[in-house]
Amino acid sequence: MKKYLFLLFIILPVLGLELSRKRGFLPKEYKVFFKSPKSLVLPVQIRDVTEKSGIIFTHKLIERTLKDIQHIKPWVLGSGATVSISDVNLDGFSDVYLTQMDLLPNKLFLNQKDGTFRDATAEFFPPDVNSRWISLKPTFFDCDNDGDQDLFINTSDCPRLYRNEAGKKFTDITQSAGLSICHTVNGNVVDVNSDGLLDLIYASYNIYGTEKQMDNFMNADRSREYHAAFRNKGQCQFEKIEKIGIEDVGLTHSIGVVDLRGINRKDLWFVTDVGTDRLFLDNGDGTYTNSTDLLKTAFNRHGMAFDVSYDEGETRPSVYISHVFSPSFMVEGNALWKMDAEGELVNSARKMGVSDCGHAWGGKFHDLDLDGDEDLLVTNGFVSKNPKKDYLFPLALLGMTNRDYMRHARNWPKMNDASLYGYQKNCIFLRDQENFGVPASANDFTEDLLDGRAIVTLDVLKNGSPSILVANQVQPLRVFQVANNSGNNWIGFHLRGTCSNRDAFGTKVKLLSGGKSQLRWYYPSNGYSAQTESSLLFGLGKNSTLDEVDVRWPNGHSEKFNGLAMNQYHTLTEGAACAR
């Protein structure tokens, strides 16, 4: 009898999950998960041009045995593939930087201005980079406001800071920089006190406890040990900010910076796993208020990516957070948050049609066909190994046990060569006026089955048709070329701050053309394990006139720029009339 009761205990929850996919079993608010998305014609061609580009790189995982958790290593070390874009040699064309989770050199590929790249790692970096620790998210920013891009790298040990020497090479200045905290994984830059210097905010994703190995994961890592803020004193010298109001950031996958209320502030959104995201609103005086209660209705519990877009005529942004979706086990889906007139955050992802994309990771808004509406690109898939072995079922059974049992890593089933949310296609959500749809036909990006993590766009030739780069976990990087034959017009901007931080992170650019307005938030370092190109690209559709470009710089100063030619990039510099 006990044997049959045990089998019933195992079978009933799984049966319930399967029934939840059937019509009539889901709560009304979740039924939209299973509606067929609207099919739209893909307005561009997307082709895999990795070999042609010259960016030949495979992300690798350290072979060292991990005590107590070796049997679940693919899950524990299932993220970390990165890609960051920056013009490191100051030639006006963006270059590509890639990191390793093995004791191998990270790679820098220089743009050759002809659609190809070459490996220039040895020219720019000392040979010991990544020789003693594995590298995680890198961020390029001008920490001394001298006009070139310095490099901050999170690592498995302590973060590293490299100063760019006039576009010729990088010098390790970690020892003199004053960055004292270690064990960080993700970070971002933000001018906390509006002094024109970018400060550092970073946090950890540390699941590994000391007593039962998985304590931090089960407790969502609520300690204060692994997050910090450092004020930039100038010349790439930093000091820890002791009282800033940031606490309990959880297991952080990425840190987003956004003006959530549309009042020219730099709010911080910690995208977290195993629980609700953490939100800290900028008080305007260098401190933050914990406002996570605004996310109290969040059903989504496994956040990864962060990106921002604006609906036409809106001053408050939509914030995209990627999450996990599986019809059988995980119906949370992606989130698309916006603050309403009453100051409440509303998730419209299901209504807008962007909730369902499998085990989603990186997310990037990008106007594929230059029609003036930003589409959404999402990378997908977790661990793709033996397609005939699925780790999801034993993992689901583990989840039915008590929390203390799960805290012991030895109780987790061995992964061996099993797949977990494996062999999933990437997603494209095409903006169709109010909502989004999906391509009706296949393309190389959405047919790709690699385990995508970071995603960026890069206008290799500066012709208004950026390529898509995807860093895949323990797999080769992929480069996808977007061929736009729509004939739509476009305009691009590079931004330079003077009173504001020189990188101009946190600038808003509003464009008016043909009666249509577009607003963009400039923050290239917001990506999940990624930093996208340091420029803004606006699609103008068939409009032949550009009425106005209104730029609001991070310090609050606004300027208008007129007489700008279409179908080319322009450098906009903050005017001399500004003041901090």
Side-chain angles (χ1 to χ4, degrees), residues 126 129 133 150-151 153 160-164 170-173:
V129 176
W133 49 79
D150 309 299
L151 175 61
I153 306 179
R160 314 298 298 178
L161 185 64
Y162 295 88
R163 183 175 59 214
N164 190 330
F170 285 90
T171 302
D172 190 338
I173 59 171

Side-chain angles (χ1 to χ4, degrees), residues 494-554:
H494 299 289
L495 304 173
R496 294 288 179 267
T498 52
C499 295
S500 304
N501 66 87
R502 194 185 187 283
D503 291 301
F505 286 9
T507 301
K508 291 179 185 175
V509 178
K510 184 178 181 180
L511 182 148
L512 183 64
S513 176
K516 181 182 178 69
S517 67
Q518 298 182 57
L519 180 62
R520 300 280 174 81
W521 171 252
Y522 177 68
Y523 231 99
S525 58
N526 263 347
Y528 167 77
S529 291
Q531 181 170 351
T532 199
E533 189 171 22
S534 298
S535 62
L536 287 177
L537 180 68
F538 288 81
L540 304 175
K542 301 302 181 184
N543 295 325
S544 57
T545 59
L546 183 62
D547 302 318
E548 185 177 271
V549 177
D550 190 353
V551 178
R552 182 161 187 171
W553 300 98

Side-chain angles (χ1 to χ4, degrees), residues 59 110 160 194 226 239 247 300 379 394 447 461 494 508:
H59 181 255
L110 290 186
R160 314 298 298 178
S194 301
Y226 299 138
E239 65 179 4
E247 58 185 4
N300 320 70
T379 62
E447 290 299 302
L461 296 173
H494 299 289
K508 291 179 185 175

Side-chain angles (χ1 to χ4, degrees), residues 53 71 115 126 156 162 200 316 332 346 360 378 447 453 473 486 506:
S53 74
H71 61 298
S156 59
Y162 295 88
L200 279 164
R316 294 183 177 184
E332 59 184 72
V346 179
V378 183
E447 290 299 302
R453 296 296 183 266
Q473 185 73 9
S486 65

